[in-house]
Amino acid sequence: MEKYQFDDFRSYSLSKLFNLFFVRLLNDKLKNKTKNTKIYAIHPGSCKSDAHLTRTGFRKHLANFTMKCFFRSAKAGAATIVYCACSEDKIVVENSGKYFENCIEADRYSSELSRDMEWAEKVWKRTVEVTGVDLELDLIEN
């Protein structure tokens, strides 16, 4: 495995892309196994948190200012998570495997790359190779 210099923004972006890959693939894998399990990729929005505490100097001050002025509370960020977990609305129930933001299905706004199932499969397979763990979906029953 190649080594790269850590870049927090790049790592964050890749984690979001891989999360979309995982949700889409897991939804496909579960689709024929269970009708009761729904899975969503959820963006809570930019929320105030302690994530910036490891920063130093100007970047820390900039992060503090930005959070105070522009970021939403954790409670507001949790709204979409709670909505998808608890809602029986048709728009939620019928859109398992999709991306939600601000309590609406927003998959059409996700990148074209995030819908590339060939790449999703490659990432899934590589993750299994690296971790030695694959989901045992045969254990899931309706």
Side-chain angles (χ1 to χ4, degrees), residues 70-121:
F70 304 107
F71 284 25
R72 61 176 64 179
S73 69
K75 184 177 179 179
T80 303
I81 297 167
V82 173
Y83 174 66
C84 287
C86 301
S87 180
E88 294 179 13
D89 291 350
K90 187 177 180 179
I91 194 74
V92 175
V93 174
E94 292 182 357
N95 281 293
S96 181
K98 300 285 180 79
Y99 170 71
F100 278 75
E101 184 175 353
N102 294 321
C103 296
I104 61 168
E105 185 271 309
D107 208 53
R108 64 191 166 279
Y109 301 119
S110 62
S111 72
E112 190 174 320
L113 177 58
S114 76
R115 290 187 289 276
D116 187 328
M117 296 308 281
E118 284 184 41
W119 267 106
E121 283 287 349

Side-chain angles (χ1 to χ4, degrees), residues 8-54:
D8 57 351
F9 184 75
R10 180 176 183 209
S11 297
Y12 177 81
S13 299
L14 285 173
S15 76
K16 298 298 122 188
L17 174 62
F18 292 175
N19 184 40
L20 285 165
F21 283 163
F22 179 80
V23 166
R24 295 182 200 295
L25 271 175
L26 184 59
N27 184 67
D28 285 350
K29 291 174 184 291
L30 291 175
K31 198 179 326 192
N32 298 321
K33 302 231 180 242
T34 178
K35 298 192 184 334
N36 299 324
T37 303
K38 303 295 180 201
I39 182 169
Y40 307 95
I42 298 172
H43 178 48
S46 298
C47 299
K48 295 175 185 168
S49 73
D50 293 337
H52 68 290
L53 292 180
T54 59

Side-chain angles (χ1 to χ4, degrees), residues 54-82:
T54 59
R55 297 181 188 263
T56 58
F58 177 74
R59 290 180 77 183
K60 184 172 187 170
H61 294 296
L62 180 62
N64 281 332
F65 173 77
T66 304
M67 280 195 201
K68 286 179 184 173
C69 295
F70 304 107
F71 284 25
R72 61 176 64 179
S73 69
K75 184 177 179 179
T80 303
I81 297 167
V82 173

Side-chain angles (χ1 to χ4, degrees), residues 119-134:
W119 267 106
E121 283 287 349
K122 287 178 186 179
V123 170
W124 183 285
K125 286 177 183 172
R126 182 66 179 139
T127 301
V128 170
E129 288 173 16
V130 170
T131 65
V133 176
D134 199 357

